[in-house]
Amino acid sequence: MYDDNNIFAKILKGDIPSHKIYEDDTTYAFLDVMPRSDGHTLVIPKADATGLLDASGQVIANCMATIQMLAPKIVDAMGADGFLIQQFNGEAAGQTVFHLHFHIVPRKLGQSLRPHAGEMADPETLASHAHIIRAAL
Ligand code: AMP
């Protein structure tokens, strides 16, 4: 069951601030506040869905189109070499926010990732990364 009190639903409603990267009619993208690497971005649908299994094919396709458009730009903006897509379904898999989301995690050769949902980043650093990425779109 989808609970519209989850933190990403609140971000979509504008009740909680986020470091916005991109928005269109069906998707919203913003920086993860506990980034596994610089530029770690979350892409979410505007439609209600807790995970991959209760989202329609169209909703998933919309997210994928946004990921395909954003990922190379985030990689370039962050001076990365590639990117990892992560998507967790259920508590056992490590999902902590129950609104469907895809992680775009920029990767640099030879650089290891910080832990999943580890440390909060400095808000000024996040604002600066969001600014750099938005300027590259
Ligand atoms: P998961 O559900 O495990 O796929 O991950 C949820 C992700 O959301 C984690 O990587 C958190 O760092 C991130 N997160 C939690 N709260 C916020 C928030 N208010 N703004 C941005 N990212 C968040």
Side-chain angles (χ1 to χ4, degrees):
M1 276 288 275
Y2 182 80
D3 172 5
D4 66 3
N5 273 321
N6 74 74
I7 202 151
F8 294 169
K10 288 181 179 169
I11 285 175
L12 281 174
K13 283 184 256 178
D15 294 345
I16 287 182
S18 64
H19 294 280
K20 178 176 165 179
I21 297 296
Y22 171 79
E23 177 175 19
D24 60 25
D25 288 348
T26 58
T27 64
Y28 187 81
F30 55 104
L31 289 185
D32 195 303
V33 288
M34 293 176 250
R36 303 203 66 191
S37 66
D38 292 351
H40 179 169
T41 298
L42 300 171
V43 174
I44 65 175
K46 290 185 175 177
D48 295 352
T50 60
L52 207 60
L53 300 184
D54 61 336
S56 69
Q58 187 60 56
V59 164
I60 295 165
N62 293 338
C63 290
M64 284 299 158
T66 296
I67 290 167
Q68 199 174 34
M69 183 278 291
L70 284 181
K73 295 185 164 129
I74 295 170
V75 164
D76 281 355
M78 290 292 105
D81 303 301
F83 63 94
L84 168 72
I85 300 297
Q86 286 192 304
Q87 197 276 314
F88 300 79
N89 293 277
E91 199 179 338
Q95 185 174 7
T96 57
V97 180
F98 292 89
H99 180 108
L100 174 62
H101 54 281
F102 296 86
H103 300 254
I104 302 175
V105 184
R107 298 298 317 261
K108 290 187 183 176
L109 286 169
Q111 189 176 81
S112 43
L113 290 177
R114 298 190 279 266
H116 174 62
E119 264 185 44
M120 277 288 219
D122 165 40
E124 282 182 19
T125 304
L126 290 173
S128 152
H129 289 161
H131 179 78
I132 292 167
I133 295 168
R134 281 195 307 268
L137 298 184

